[in-house]
């Protein structure tokens, strides 16, 4: 029996808890005494029928508020698979919880209310699923009973979502129309959606192929612990992060670069000929090489990147915002190193899902950053390897876990050829602008400059039109005020107001502030 | 050539071994809370596997309330000697000396003194910074939200609203002096997984788990063993019932279930058929609404 881990995301009132309750209930995982306390609670709250969502609402505080506030794990099994559900709240301020649940998931279910269609939050959920590299996505169009099981309602949502998913490089998307409350298409195909030819949700969960999701190509064996019970035995214990290691293989040890051959793969249950991800084994080598925790074994013809400076996506999970250059601890595979973030390249705006400039990252914000570690990390890009491409950041003072990181790759080296406008925008974090303030005085222009700067723009204020244009050509925001700004060119943004309030309003209306 | 997939039990095993090794590598002085029950038996086997061919590199700690079944204590001593484990037994002798028992104090106060207080004292006395526990997330609602690494402040308390996010298999082991972390390597196992693993691995367990005729007091739907001197209600008397324990705790607070299952395959069949959750027979979970969450906040396993 195979193990499938999945996560669920939905907006408030999408019926997510009811859906999970329905899966547990219909797969007979719920025990009768638990059900009895749900019956009791349901009558307490004078709700009609059995409120299945109560099966999953765990903590007292949550019952009082009627919302789910943290990741909860649920378990059920059918004769075909065992399932672990990371049940995460969908409210957007809980991005960190969804990322947590998504980090180990093979599949994500995004719930959409058939009445309301694809909301900004649905897009965010899909975006996080893509960011965390979940291989399979299910879009569960729920509450079909409330739209009379109309095919058009389903198709509209499907087309809208599919277009968006293509942009995210989400390829494996299964759309299922269902009613969690009434059970349609959850465990069994429903007679009320004769136009739907696909599987029920449970059918899909039981059969979606997941064996090929693992990386079995690149051997990465981070050494976790050295087992040395006596002078005759020296074994390197660890979990195979990816790939396959065989007895007799030549392996290279990082960072020393020395090579040796695998003498044996030792387990309590006897020696093995080969071990693959995610097995926990102990590797003995033919040669005496000094190896300790944090080192990595790989095949010499297939080594990971070794880098001290790399780019990564971060999900910020702490109430204390990320400020560049602050000393941090970084945990990657079995290594903890000192690190810092010298630069925030941009932040993702979660509503428009477009990059915007940022000086800080706040709780639940997602950013693309440059990371610098004190020692080189042996890593791969997260899209190729979820084990060696992931890391967490820890506050060395409070010990809190601050962020989850997904490595994109070593710092991009400057490509040959001239620097383009795109290169500048990527470095600076925003596009260039030239702004004319013909009727503003120097003091007003200074206020506008400060506001733009605090918003994350690299801005240069001048009363010389040529200088302003040069700043914009260099990728900055050129802000020209006074008589030289009286240029009539419809391609240049000109704000003819004279007070700072009016100018702020005008800049806000064009999306700059 | 196989397609190189693991069964769910082997996947869970690999995950648990990773956790055990990670803790031993990153903490100064770990200890394993050993309750003698089936989950502890599985956890000990996983520890043997994690450090093979070396010995288990930390002691086992049993919090003895003195209300455990005699068969449990016999099993404990025999088992630990057989595998060469270092066993520490800790009892809150002060509370026992002043007459703490569930009949006098009520279950809540008794647990508080003999389990929670005793555990916190033992951890402090031993200077342990990490303690493995056999709790599983499928046991109880509040456990479903607990992390694998569950942070406890210097008073041993759990704060459910302020848990560290836990991603991938990257655990944050950083603590300050006086703080501890409870580690739950069996977090993702279910009761059925535990039984299947015990069967597959031939792991020794306390005979109380197997059905046989036992002397019981029948109280309502509950079967209470006549092991300790239980105050009988009017009209109650001991009678012989074919039964077994589904989970093991202190004898006055652990009910038995009527069962014919006297072998592991029969127990597993019973588990698959059973529709009543295992902690139902543990009186302490029902002493107030959300009671396990309250106990955990105060530092209970």
């Amino acid at each position: 029996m195979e193990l499938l881990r999945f996560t669920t995301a939905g907006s408030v009132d999408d019926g997510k808890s009811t859906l999970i309750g329905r899966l547990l209930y219909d797969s007979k995982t719920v025990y009768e005494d638990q059900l009895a306390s749900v019956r009791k609670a349901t009558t307490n709250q004078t709700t009609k029928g059995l409120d299945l969502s109560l099966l999953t609402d765990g903590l007292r505080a949550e019952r009082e508020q009627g919302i789910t506030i943290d990741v909860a794990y649920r378990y059920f099994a059918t004769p075909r698979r065992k399932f672990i559900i990371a049940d995460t709240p969908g409210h957007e301020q809980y991005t960190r919880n969804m990322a947590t649940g998504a980090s180990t998931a093979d599949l994500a279910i995004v719930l959409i209310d058939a009445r309301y269609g694809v909301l900004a939050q649905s897009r965010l959920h899909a975006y996080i699923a893509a960011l965390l590299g979940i291989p399979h996505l299910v879009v569960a169009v729920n509450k079909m009973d409330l739209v009379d099981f109309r095919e058009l309602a389903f198709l509209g949502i499907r087309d809208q979502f599919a277009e968006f998913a293509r942009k995210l490089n989400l390829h494996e998307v299964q759309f299922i129309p269902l009613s969690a409350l009434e059970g349609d298409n959850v465990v069994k195909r429903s007679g009320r959606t004769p136009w739907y030819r696909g599987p029920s949700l449970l059918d899909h969960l039981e059969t979606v192929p997941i064996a090929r999701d693992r990386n079995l190509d690149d051997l990465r064996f981070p050494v976790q612990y050295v087992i040395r019970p006596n002078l005759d035995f020296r074994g390197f214990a660890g979990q195979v992060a990816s790939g396959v290691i065989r007895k007799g293989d030549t392996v290279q040890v990082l960072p020393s670069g020395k090579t040796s051959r695998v003498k044996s793969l030792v387990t309590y249950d006897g020696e093995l000929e080969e071990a693959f991800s995610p097995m926990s084994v102990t590797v003995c080598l033919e040669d005496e090489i000094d190896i300790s925790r944090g080192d990595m074994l790989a095949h010499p013809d297939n080594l990971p990147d070794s880098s001290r400076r790399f780019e990564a996506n971060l999900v910020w999970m702490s109430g204390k915002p990320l400020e560049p250059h602050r000393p941090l601890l970084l945990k990657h595979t079995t290594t903890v190193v000192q690190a810092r973030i010298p630069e925030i390249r941009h932040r993702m705006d979660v509503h428009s899902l477009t990059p915007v400039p940022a000086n800080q990252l706040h709780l639940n914000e997602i950013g693309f950053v440059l990371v610098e570690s004190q020692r080189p990390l042996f890593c791969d890009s997260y899209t190729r390897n979820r084990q060696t491409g992931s890391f967490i950041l820890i506050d060395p003072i409070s010990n809190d876990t601050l962020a989850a990181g997904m490595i994109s790759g070593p710092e991009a080296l400057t490509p040959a050829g001239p620097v383009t406008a795109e290169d500048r925008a990527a470095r600076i974090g925003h596009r260039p602008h030239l702004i004319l303030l013909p009727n503003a005085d120097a003091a007003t222009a200074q206020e506008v400059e400060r506001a733009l700067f605090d918003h994350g723009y690299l801005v240069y204020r001048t009363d010389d039109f040529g200088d302003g244009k040069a700043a914009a050509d260099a990728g900055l925001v050129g802000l020209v005020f006074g008589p030289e700004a009286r240029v009539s060119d419809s391609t240049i943004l000109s704000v003819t107001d004279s007070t700072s309030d009016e100018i702020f309003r005008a800049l806000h209306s064009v999306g700059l502030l | 050539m196989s397609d190189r997939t693991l069964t769910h039990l082997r996947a869970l095993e690999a995950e648990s071994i990773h956790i055990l090794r990670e803790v031993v590598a990153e903490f100064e002085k770990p200890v394993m809370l050993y309750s003698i029950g089936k989950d502890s038996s599985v956890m000990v086997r996983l520890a043997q596997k994690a450090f093979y061919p070396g010995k288990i590199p930390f002691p086992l700690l049993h919090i003895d309330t003195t209300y455990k079944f005699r068969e449990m204590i016999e099993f404990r001593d025999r088992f630990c000697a057989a595998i060469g484990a270092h066993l520490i037994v800790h009892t809150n002798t002060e509370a026992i000396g002043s007459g703490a028992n569930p009949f006098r104090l009520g279950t809540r106060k008794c647990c508080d003194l003999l389990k929670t207080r005793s555990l916190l004292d033992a951890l402090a006395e031993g200077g342990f910074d990490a303690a493995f526990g056999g709790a599983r997330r499928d046991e109880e609602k509040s456990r479903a939200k607990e992390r694998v690494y569950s942070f406890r402040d210097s008073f041993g308390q759990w704060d459910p609203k302020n848990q560290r996010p836990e991603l991938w298999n990257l655990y944050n082991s950083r603590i300050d002096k006086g703080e501890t972390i409870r580690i739950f390597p069996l977090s993702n196992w279910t009761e059925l997984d535990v039984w299947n693993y015990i069967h597959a691995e031939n792991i020794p367990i306390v005979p109380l788990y197997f059905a046989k005729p036992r002397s019981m007091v029948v109280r309502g739907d509950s079967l209470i063993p006549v092991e300790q001197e239980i105050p009988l209600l009017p009209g109650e008397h001991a009678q012989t019932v074919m039964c077994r324990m589904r989970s093991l705790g202190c004898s006055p607070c652990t009910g038995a279930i009527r069962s014919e299952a006297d072998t592991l395959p029969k127990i597993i069949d019973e588990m698959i058929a059973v529709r009543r959750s295992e902690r139902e027979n543990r009186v302490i979970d029902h002493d107030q609404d959300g009671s396990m969450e309250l106990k955990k906040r105060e530092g209970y396993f």
Side-chain angles (χ1 to χ4, degrees):
Chain A
M1 199 157 75
E2 239 178 339
L3 186 61
L4 181 118
R5 297 172 198 252
F6 68 93
T7 182
T8 53
S11 308
V12 176
D13 293 332
D14 272 350
K16 188 164 57 66
S17 294
T18 306
L19 178 65
I20 294 172
R22 171 65 64 187
L23 278 171
L24 298 181
Y25 183 77
D26 285 357
S27 66
K28 313 268 188 283
T29 310
V30 180
Y31 297 121
E32 274 168 19
D33 54 320
Q34 287 172 350
L35 215 51
S37 36
V38 170
R39 282 203 187 94
K40 219 159 68 183
T42 306
T43 38
N44 286 350
Q45 292 177 8
T46 66
T47 315
K48 275 182 207 160
L50 197 60
D51 186 352
L52 292 173
S53 72
L54 291 171
L55 285 170
T56 60
D57 281 353
L59 300 178
R60 278 164 82 95
E62 287 176 357
R63 287 207 296 276
E64 286 152 17
Q65 295 170 27
I67 51 157
T68 322
I69 55 172
D70 203 337
V71 189
Y73 294 87
R74 316 280 165 200
Y75 304 84
F76 73 102
T78 66
R80 289 154 100 169
R81 272 184 181 163
K82 167 174 165 130
F83 299 95
I84 300 180
I85 314 174
D87 179 11
T88 63
H91 202 276
E92 76 182 63
Q93 73 206 60
Y94 296 116
T95 296
R96 76 171 205 168
N97 295 332
M98 180 172 170
T100 302
S103 71
T104 51
D106 304 303
L107 177 148
I109 300 177
V110 173
L111 269 100
I112 293 182
D113 189 321
R115 293 170 301 171
Y116 307 133
V118 182
L119 303 176
Q121 272 189 43
S122 325
R123 282 196 286 268
L124 175 62
H125 296 147
Y127 173 73
I128 296 173
L131 188 70
L132 272 290
I134 301 181
H136 310 274
L137 190 71
V138 172
V139 176
V141 181
N142 192 23
K143 306 198 182 180
M144 286 299 292
D145 50 318
L146 299 182
V147 295
D148 302 322
F149 295 95
R150 275 185 293 114
E151 182 178 17
L152 278 181
F154 173 72
L155 291 181
I157 291 171
R158 190 192 68 183
D159 294 346
Q160 205 185 345
F161 194 96
E163 189 194 332
F164 170 72
R166 261 194 302 279
K167 288 189 210 150
L168 293 178
N169 278 324
L170 281 165
H171 299 295
E172 276 264 345
V173 187
Q174 175 76 44
F175 295 88
I176 304 177
L178 52 84
S179 164
L181 194 67
E182 303 189 0
D184 298 85
N185 291 330
V186 176
V187 170
K188 290 201 191 86
R189 293 264 310 265
S190 167
R192 297 199 279 185
T193 52
W195 42 266
Y196 172 68
R197 305 260 168 250
S200 73
L201 176 62
L202 187 64
D203 265 345
H204 183 68
L205 294 174
E206 283 184 312
T207 54
V208 59
I210 53 169
R212 286 164 177 275
D213 297 341
R214 287 168 308 152
N215 177 333
L216 289 176
D217 301 325
D218 314 321
L219 169 65
R220 306 286 183 256
F221 184 82
V223 175
Q224 218 187 341
Y225 184 74
V226 180
I227 296 179
R228 187 153 211 191
N230 55 57
L231 291 177
D232 300 327
F233 188 93
R234 188 172 148 84
F236 308 104
Q239 189 169 20
V240 183
S242 61
V244 182
I245 186 167
R246 292 174 205 81
K247 193 174 164 174
D249 274 3
T250 299
V251 289
Q252 185 161 340
V253 184
L254 301 167
S256 75
K258 293 186 174 138
T259 56
S260 181
R261 274 159 45 101
V262 176
K263 185 168 77 180
S264 56
L265 296 167
V266 176
T267 76
Y268 178 92
D269 304 296
E271 290 192 10
L272 304 175
E273 286 301 308
E274 67 164 38
F276 50 85
S277 159
M279 290 167 73
S280 283
V281 296
T282 298
V283 179
C284 294
L285 299 179
E286 285 181 355
D287 306 280
E288 280 270 331
I289 301 179
D290 185 28
I291 297 177
S292 50
R293 175 176 164 84
D295 290 359
M296 184 181 279
L297 307 184
H299 289 134
D301 59 353
N302 178 350
L303 297 174
D305 290 326
S306 165
S307 182
R308 276 189 60 232
R309 283 167 71 86
F310 51 89
E311 293 172 318
N313 286 294
L314 280 191
V315 178
W316 198 255
M317 303 188 154
S318 164
K320 207 160 100 183
L322 164 68
E323 287 165 13
H325 300 291
R326 204 152 57 89
L328 301 165
L329 292 172
L330 182 154
K331 185 167 185 182
H332 170 257
T333 64
T334 56
T335 309
V336 178
V337 293
Q338 289 179 27
R340 57 188 198 107
I341 309 292
E343 199 181 312
I344 301 172
R345 297 266 156 99
H346 62 248
R347 176 174 71 77
M348 238 356 179
D349 179 82
V350 295
H351 298 287
S352 61
L353 293 178
T354 52
V356 290
N359 297 321
Q360 292 188 327
L361 280 186
H362 294 269
L363 177 63
N364 292 312
E365 289 184 344
I366 297 165
F368 188 64
V369 302
L370 177 67
V371 186
E372 190 175 82
S373 61
Q374 182 216 356
R375 282 183 279 122
L377 297 184
F378 308 110
C379 58
D380 297 280
S381 72
Y382 186 77
T383 47
R384 179 158 184 96
N385 196 320
R386 285 172 94 183
Q387 302 303 315
T388 56
S390 53
F391 63 88
I392 57 171
L393 294 176
I394 300 169
D395 187 328
I397 316 267
S398 71
N399 297 332
D400 286 338
T401 302
L402 299 173
M406 282 73 59
I407 294 170
S408 144
E411 184 181 21
L413 297 173
T414 319
V419 175
T420 63
E422 278 68 36
D423 292 341
R424 290 196 186 89
R427 168 71 56 82
I428 296 168
H430 62 75
R431 315 277 326 168
H433 296 281
L434 181 57
I435 304 170
L436 305 178
L437 304 176
N439 299 317
D441 57 17
T444 306
Q446 198 176 315
E447 274 184 67
V448 175
E449 179 190 32
R450 169 53 66 185
L452 285 164
F453 186 78
D454 288 348
H455 233 74
Y457 294 101
L458 272 182
V459 52
Y460 178 70
R461 170 180 50 89
T462 175
D463 59 3
D464 182 308
F465 180 79
D467 286 357
K469 183 152 189 327
D473 287 346
L476 314 182
V477 175
L479 186 66
V480 187
F481 67 96
E484 288 216 17
R486 286 175 200 142
V487 175
S488 66
D489 180 340
S490 60
T491 63
I492 303 176
L493 174 64
S494 178
V495 181
T496 52
D497 301 302
S498 57
T499 71
S500 52
D501 277 355
E502 286 165 340
I503 295 170
F504 289 155
R505 223 169 293 136
L507 293 178
H508 179 76
S509 71
V510 295
L512 277 166
L513 277 180
Chain B
M1 197 73 208
S2 80
D3 60 354
R4 297 197 173 111
T5 56
L6 295 182
T7 64
H8 74 287
L9 280 184
R10 293 300 156 204
L12 290 172
E13 177 188 67
E15 176 184 88
S16 300
I17 289 175
H18 171 84
I19 294 164
L20 285 153
R21 288 169 169 171
E22 200 63 10
V23 170
V24 170
E26 292 207 322
F27 286 86
E28 300 264 325
K29 204 172 176 192
V31 67
M32 181 173 279
L33 306 178
Y34 175 68
S35 74
I36 322 179
K38 61 185 192 307
D39 304 298
S40 285
S41 289
V42 166
M43 199 165 50
V44 169
R45 170 60 56 89
L46 292 166
Q48 289 178 287
K49 290 196 174 197
F51 303 102
Y52 177 85
K55 278 194 182 307
I56 299 176
F58 44 76
L60 310 187
L61 171 64
H62 179 224
I63 301 300
D64 193 350
T65 59
T66 72
Y67 290 100
K68 299 295 171 189
F69 293 92
R70 184 178 33 79
E71 280 174 81
M72 289 173 71
I73 302 300
E74 284 167 9
F75 176 88
R76 175 194 76 189
D77 295 341
R78 200 170 56 240
F79 178 69
C80 289
I83 64 167
H86 173 203
L87 174 71
I88 302 170
V89 178
H90 190 275
T91 300
N92 187 346
T93 42
E94 195 188 316
I96 298 277
S98 54
N101 71 49
F103 320 114
R104 247 191 67 198
L105 298 177
T107 55
R108 186 165 143 66
K109 200 158 179 198
C110 185
C111 266
D112 191 37
L113 284 170
L114 298 187
K115 284 182 164 175
T116 308
R117 189 72 261 149
S118 187
L119 169 66
L120 296 178
D121 288 348
L123 292 180
E125 268 173 43
F128 299 113
D129 54 356
F132 294 105
R136 307 185 319 269
R137 289 186 182 133
D138 77 324
E139 280 177 72
E140 208 271 339
K141 276 189 195 171
S142 76
R143 284 186 170 164
K145 310 220 157 179
E146 190 153 13
R147 306 291 190 255
V148 172
Y149 276 41
S150 181
F151 178 79
R152 304 299 163 101
D153 63 20
S154 55
F155 300 97
Q157 313 248 315
W158 181 57
D159 179 0
K161 282 201 176 166
N162 195 19
Q163 301 192 82
R164 293 174 180 174
E166 207 161 70
L167 295 106
W168 299 288
N169 59 356
L170 297 173
Y171 303 103
N172 176 354
S173 61
R174 298 268 303 183
I175 50 170
D176 288 335
K177 207 167 166 46
E179 298 168 342
T180 57
I181 291 197
R182 302 286 166 79
I183 316 279
F184 301 111
L186 304 184
S187 288
N188 285 327
W189 296 57
T190 61
E191 188 184 16
L192 190 56
D193 296 330
V194 166
W195 281 116
N196 277 319
Y197 192 72
I198 287 171
H199 184 46
E201 295 279 322
N202 201 14
I203 295 171
I205 50 167
V206 183
L208 288 165
Y209 285 115
F210 296 103
K212 73 169 192 185
R214 292 185 171 88
S215 188
M216 292 281 157
V217 175
V218 182
R219 182 173 295 170
D221 289 338
S222 305
L223 299 175
I224 303 168
V226 208
E227 169 125 358
Q228 307 281 345
E229 287 154 25
I230 302 172
L232 294 179
L233 300 177
E236 281 184 343
H237 59 276
Q239 46 186 294
T240 301
V241 182
M242 185 71 173
C243 63
R244 66 180 202 89
M245 304 294 165
R246 196 165 156 199
S247 79
L248 289 180
C250 298
S251 60
C253 295
T254 305
I257 52 169
R258 290 176 194 270
S259 167
E260 305 282 327
D262 54 359
T263 64
L264 285 171
K266 284 188 197 167
I267 291 177
I268 290 167
D269 282 347
E270 185 185 279
M271 280 303 314
I272 292 170
V274 82
R275 287 286 169 269
R276 304 196 78 82
S277 71
E278 83 190 283
R279 295 202 69 92
E280 189 196 28
N281 298 308
R282 296 284 283 274
V283 179
I284 57 171
D285 293 355
H286 301 287
D287 48 14
Q288 63 189 96
D289 190 30
S291 63
M292 178 59 84
E293 188 188 336
L294 285 174
K295 285 198 179 68
K296 288 181 77 69
R297 285 186 192 213
E298 287 155 11
Y300 181 65
F301 310 137

